[in-house]
Amino acid sequence: MKIVIVGSGGRLGAALAREYSHVASASQPMIVRKLGLGSPSHEFNVVGFNHSQLDLADSEQIHAKVDNLDFDVLINAGALTNVDLCEKEPDLAFQINAESPRVLAEICATKNVKLIHFSTDYVFDGEKREPYQEEDEAKPISVYGESKRAGEENVLAIDNRHLVVRVSWVFGPDRPSFIDAMIKRARESEHVDAVADKFSAPTYTLDIARMLPRFFYGKDAALQRQSGSDRPRTPQRGVPTETDADGGGILHFANAGECSWQEYAQFGLDCCRSLGVPLKARAVGALQLSQMKDWVARRPPYSVLSTEKFFSITGVTPRNWRDAAGDYIKKFYSPK
């Protein structure tokens, strides 16, 4: 299977590229690697584009780089994720987070291949106070959230057998995230604070990478390839909220459970201390969202994503965020 990963230099894209191949570079030969998923092994040929290789703000460049490639699935992990920068530069946010997904969706529809587009828990306003399901109305409260919601709509309006995967609080080794910032601060200072009234679920990039391949083929695409038919698939218009029989629509994925940023940070420090990582701080103090005066954009106070639909499709419950974060910290912070 030939995979294109857009955003292969980011926290999520780099993890996907690493899991699916030894090399993810548009300028190097594609490499094949077997990935065991508890089912028959999958073989992937991967080509990736980082920001320097593909500027998502440039639609013409997207066409120039992607139009002539031969692939079976395209994963878009690229986005402008700086929430406050999006608020300051809304045109850029919408170009990268909304328009470029539309362009990629059109290219994939023309090639009769699937697009898997990553989105965010920030499409919700946080007022529900219980896990958000795929069919819940998206009500973003920031330019970032608005641009990501527009990207979802654009992708599924082109072909509703494309897949939008919403994830939350993504962490992993390729780019520092919140948990890394808290550990770094605890190493340097005796005082560490984090917001205590904002809740979601951390999600490990490794867990995303391992669950995703089961969604690479839609039902009809798999049958078409098995039959050897080259008949173009007719794009299905509309914006479904449920993952349909062809594996398209919207799907939530996150590690199980929920926590505040304060609880998440405290867990990280406790893990480090149990591993013998030297820290100056022991406890994480509590801040309130109302105290974050330097923030430009509003953040949803509660954005936990329900993974009930993921379980109904796969029969798999994502592991708890504590187990995932604990494994990450043990692997990347344990004294050598």
Side-chain angles (χ1 to χ4, degrees):
M1 172 180 256
K2 299 176 182 177
I3 304 171
V4 170
I5 299 176
V6 174
S8 62
R11 186 184 304 139
L12 176 56
L16 300 177
R18 184 176 55 256
E19 284 300 306
Y20 303 154
S21 73
H22 293 299
V23 176
S25 171
S27 61
Q28 299 186 44
M30 291 187 290
I31 305 297
V32 177
R33 179 187 179 192
K34 290 186 177 180
L35 180 68
L37 298 168
S39 57
S41 293
H42 299 257
E43 290 187 348
F44 302 130
N45 293 339
V46 177
V47 58
F49 293 98
N50 59 32
H51 176 69
S52 66
Q53 295 166 324
L54 182 62
D55 182 1
L56 291 178
D58 187 340
S59 296
E60 290 186 2
Q61 186 181 122
I62 295 173
H63 279 290
K65 293 289 185 72
V66 181
D67 276 353
N68 294 325
L69 291 178
D70 178 30
F71 55 90
D72 299 296
V73 62
L74 188 149
I75 303 171
N76 181 28
L80 184 61
T81 59
N82 185 317
V83 180
D84 288 337
L85 179 60
C86 288
E87 209 72 19
K88 296 175 182 178
E89 300 190 32
D91 291 344
L92 181 63
F94 273 85
Q95 181 64 35
I96 294 175
N97 294 340
E99 177 61 16
S100 71
R102 183 191 65 78
V103 173
L104 292 170
E106 288 179 342
I107 293 171
C108 289
T110 299
K111 291 177 177 291
N112 188 28
V113 299
K114 187 169 189 174
L115 169 64
I116 298 177
H117 172 69
F118 279 95
S119 191
T120 174
D121 56 320
Y122 275 41
V123 299
F124 297 114
D125 61 10
E127 298 301 319
K128 186 180 179 184
R129 301 304 172 126
E130 62 183 41
Y132 281 94
Q133 298 181 330
E134 288 81 353
E135 60 267 23
D136 286 325
E137 183 181 0
K139 296 179 180 179
I141 57 175
S142 66
V143 170
Y144 171 66
E146 291 171 356
S147 66
K148 291 298 289 183
R149 178 183 62 177
E152 295 180 356
E153 293 172 345
N154 288 345
V155 164
L156 296 177
I158 299 299
D159 189 336
N160 64 27
R161 283 172 288 191
H162 292 329
L163 179 65
V164 171
V165 182
R166 291 177 180 148
V167 292
S168 60
W169 289 10
V170 175
F171 68 92
D174 298 284
R175 286 285 184 91
S177 65
F178 172 82
I179 192 65
D180 302 293
M182 293 294 100
I183 294 172
K184 181 177 185 294
R185 192 173 301 172
R187 283 173 155 175
E188 299 171 349
S189 172
E190 295 180 355
H191 303 286
V192 176
D193 299 316
V195 173
D197 58 346
K198 175 175 168 54
F199 299 87
S200 193
T203 309
Y204 193 3
T205 55
L206 178 63
D207 291 8
I208 299 172
R210 290 180 172 174
M211 73 83 182
L212 196 63
R214 69 191 68 207
F215 297 100
F216 283 175
Y217 276 135
K219 179 181 177 182
D220 69 333
L223 293 174
Q224 177 176 310
R225 292 177 185 276
Q226 290 171 7
S227 67
S229 171
D230 291 326
R231 175 176 54 84
R233 185 185 67 179
T234 301
Q236 301 297 304
R237 306 287 174 169
V239 183
T241 57
E242 297 188 4
T243 306
D244 64 22
D246 283 324
I250 297 175
L251 183 70
H252 290 176
F253 184 82
N255 285 117
E258 61 184 66
C259 61
S260 69
W261 270 344
Q262 181 194 26
E263 182 181 358
Y264 185 20
Q266 186 64 60
F267 177 78
L269 269 57
D270 292 343
C271 284
C272 285
R273 188 170 296 105
S274 70
L275 294 168
V277 178
L279 302 176
K280 293 183 178 180
R282 297 189 62 86
V284 178
L287 295 172
Q288 303 300 308
L289 279 171
S290 60
Q291 295 176 258
M292 309 310 293
K293 304 299 184 183
D294 291 338
W295 286 356
V296 179
R298 295 173 62 199
R299 274 75 162 171
Y302 185 94
S303 56
V304 179
L305 300 174
S306 169
T307 58
E308 290 180 3
K309 190 167 295 297
F310 175 80
F311 175 78
S312 71
I313 295 170
T314 66
V316 176
T317 299
R319 60 175 170 166
N320 187 272
W321 70 266
R322 290 176 178 269
D323 295 329
D327 282 355
Y328 168 69
I329 293 170
K330 182 177 181 180
K331 181 174 182 179
F332 294 100
Y333 284 95
S334 293
K336 305 299 183 185

